[in-house]
């Protein structure tokens, strides 16, 4: 065997060993690879490439879903990792806010007035805890991400049909459990043409969040996080670095998911419908609360 043949044989063996090793690592559940048990040392040391997220434990991230016009926000929620749990808090977009910077408005108008920083500032005050970072995603990003992970399984609660020719929008979904992606998933998230309005949309968002969480945190998707983040990158705007963003999703995959929606009820003010939301950071104002509210608005039910 000459030198060239020996080099070729060595290269093939090296490639085979690398391939088998890579396949073995991918077969290990990612949570075990990243956090091996103390009494079972890993066969091959594996470091978490997204370990930067650990420094953000117990801090809160604001997630905003922006509509086609790029102004108002269709979805508003926060993500907090604490004590082995991922807590997602949904904020009704029609929540009435007496903003210190812009005056009375709906929560979904804050972004158009002052950007992500304005939303973080107001919600930090109302939630009673600091919101440190933000992730802004548009509808194209949701469509892209859902396609990359093979769709999101949801149980469509009822027949959803709506057509808006001016926006080129068609929502046509039958009830039942099914996998949605692309524009079908977008339609499921945007539909609000019944008596439930914004509160019904929040329930559908909750279904998608739980399913997307379950899908993204599967080992086969976690190992592809860099590619997924890169593909959705042009539709994301965040003050988190790529490593931090990947670390957030990785950390979420190692926790239990909890979702909650801030309680709210509809009211009318000057002919405009709002939601009176119970903010965690607001202290009861005593007997004056009922009196001050009576002249401000009229509850619808």
């Amino acid at each position: 065997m000459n030198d060239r043949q020996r080099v070729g044989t060595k290269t093939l063996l090296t490639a085979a060993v690398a391939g088998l090793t890579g396949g073995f690592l991918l077969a290990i559940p990612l949570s075990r690879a990243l956090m091996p048990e103390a009494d079972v040392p890993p066969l091959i040391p594996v470091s978490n490439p997204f370990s930067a997220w650990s420094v953000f434990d117990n801090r809160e991230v604001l997630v905003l879903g922006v509509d086609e016009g790029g102004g108002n926000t269709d979805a508003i929620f926060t993500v907090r990792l604490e004590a082995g749990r991922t807590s997602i808090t949904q904020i009704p977009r029609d929540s009435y806010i007496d903003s210190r910077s812009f005056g009375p408005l709906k929560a979904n108008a804050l972004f158009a007035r002052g950007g992500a920083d304005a939303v973080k500032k107001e919600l930090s005050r109302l939630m009673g805890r600091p919101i440190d970072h933000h992730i802004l995603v548009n509808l194209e990003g949701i469509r892209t991400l859902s396609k990359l992970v093979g769709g999101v399984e949801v149980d469509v609660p009822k027949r959803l049909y709506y057509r808006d020719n001016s926006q080129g929008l068609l929502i046509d979904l039958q009830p039942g459990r099914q996998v949605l992606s692309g524009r079908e998933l977008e339609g499921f998230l945007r539909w609000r043409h019944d008596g439930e309005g914004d509160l019904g949309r929040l329930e559908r968002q909750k279904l998608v969040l739980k399913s997307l969480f379950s899908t993204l945190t599967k080992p086969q998707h976690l190992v592809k996080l860099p590619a997924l983040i890169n593909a959705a990158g042009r539709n994301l705007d965040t003050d988190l670095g790529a490593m931090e963003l990947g670390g957030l999703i990785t950390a979420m995959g190692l926790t239990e998911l909890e979702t909650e929606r801030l309680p709210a009820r509809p009211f009318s003010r000057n002919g405009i419908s709002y939601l009176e939301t119970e903010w965690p950071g607001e202290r009861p104002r005593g007997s004056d609360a009922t009196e001050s509210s009576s002249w401000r608005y009229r509850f619808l039910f």
Side-chain angles (χ1 to χ4, degrees), residues 91-263:
I91 299 167
R93 50 169 266 156
D94 289 340
S95 297
Y96 176 89
I97 293 180
D98 190 0
S99 168
R100 294 180 177 178
S101 300
F102 310 107
L105 43 64
K106 291 185 178 183
N108 72 331
L110 271 174
F111 178 75
R113 294 290 187 91
D117 287 340
V119 185
K120 286 187 290 187
K121 180 180 178 180
E122 290 290 345
L123 293 186
S124 292
R125 173 177 66 87
L126 294 168
M127 300 286 282
R129 54 186 186 255
I131 298 175
D132 308 287
H133 300 282
H134 71 270
I135 301 172
L136 182 68
V137 58
N138 61 29
L139 289 172
E140 180 62 33
I142 295 173
R143 290 193 291 262
T144 300
L145 186 59
S146 64
K147 289 179 180 178
L148 289 173
V149 298
V152 178
E153 185 177 17
V154 297
D155 191 357
V156 180
K158 59 185 177 182
R159 177 85 161 93
L160 305 180
Y161 181 85
Y162 177 73
R163 179 188 293 273
D164 187 336
N165 293 326
S166 64
Q167 297 184 35
L169 175 64
L170 173 62
I171 301 172
D172 188 3
L173 296 173
Q174 298 291 336
R177 184 167 294 279
Q178 54 200 284
V179 176
L180 302 179
S181 67
R183 293 194 176 276
E184 286 186 337
L185 180 62
E186 175 192 337
F188 181 76
L189 289 169
R190 295 182 66 185
W191 195 84
R192 57 180 295 181
H193 304 280
D194 61 5
E196 297 178 343
D198 190 37
L199 299 181
R201 186 200 294 229
L202 286 171
E203 288 304 309
R204 288 186 290 278
Q205 288 177 0
K206 182 184 293 187
L207 292 176
V208 171
L209 285 172
K210 288 184 176 181
S211 182
L212 185 60
F213 175 90
S214 176
T215 301
L216 275 177
T217 54
K218 291 179 180 177
Q220 66 265 33
H221 290 135
L222 282 175
V223 297
K224 296 189 294 183
L225 272 181
L228 293 174
I229 292 173
N230 181 64
R234 64 187 181 89
N235 298 301
L236 292 175
D237 180 41
T238 178
D239 58 357
L240 292 171
M243 295 295 289
E244 295 170 329
L245 183 58
L248 166 61
I249 301 174
T250 299
M252 289 172 63
L254 306 173
T255 65
E256 295 295 326
L257 175 66
E258 296 178 351
T259 63
E260 67 166 342
R261 172 178 62 82
L262 296 183

Side-chain angles (χ1 to χ4, degrees), residues 35 53 57-58 80-87 213 250-258:
M35 299 181 64
W53 177 251
D57 193 27
N58 301 333
R80 181 180 180 87
L81 275 75
E82 184 177 18
R85 297 191 309 274
T86 294
S87 300
F213 175 90
T250 299
M252 289 172 63
L254 306 173
T255 65
E256 295 295 326
L257 175 66
E258 296 178 351

Side-chain angles (χ1 to χ4, degrees), residues 5-72:
Q5 290 174 320
R6 280 195 294 270
V7 171
T9 301
K10 183 177 180 180
T11 301
L12 289 173
L13 288 173
T14 302
V17 171
L20 290 172
T21 302
F24 175 75
L25 286 176
L26 293 181
I28 302 174
L30 188 64
S31 58
R32 182 178 178 185
L34 298 181
M35 299 181 64
E37 298 178 5
D39 58 345
V40 182
L43 297 177
I44 301 175
V46 179
S47 61
N48 183 355
F50 300 124
S51 59
W53 177 251
S54 61
V55 301
F56 292 98
D57 193 27
N58 301 333
R59 300 177 75 180
E60 203 146 5
V61 177
L62 171 70
V63 180
L64 298 172
V66 184
D67 59 22
E68 291 285 7
N72 292 346

